[in-house]
Amino acid sequence: MMDEADLRLKVVEVLAEEFELDPAEMGPEATLYEDLGLDSLDAVDMVVVLEKTFGLKLTDEEALRSIRTMEDLFQFLLALQVKQ
């Protein structure tokens, strides 16, 4: 199991690569849609990339839809990891 700091770094790394984002702009308070410019199709791609990266199944659609910021995403993945 990854510790929180490693998980945060890995999320930023894979999303920056997948969506050609600047990691410096991907702080905890950054919003996925407004600040980072992702759209609903990107959200689907993000789920696929994160599933592959972490070996998790992201099936809680309601929780996924509630993710607005990078911090929301970090907390969601940390909680899932704990359940594993």
Side-chain angles (χ1 to χ4, degrees), residues 11 23 25 33 50 52:
V11 169
E25 295 177 1
Y33 303 104
L50 293 172
K52 285 181 188 171

Side-chain angles (χ1 to χ4, degrees), residues 7 11 50-51 54 56 58 67 71-83:
L7 182 135
V11 169
L50 293 172
E51 285 181 338
F54 294 103
L56 299 169
L58 308 182
I67 294 171
E71 183 63 28
D72 294 343
L73 182 58
F74 297 144
Q75 293 304 321
F76 174 76
L77 292 170
L78 288 166
L80 262 185
Q81 187 174 273
V82 169
K83 291 179 188 175

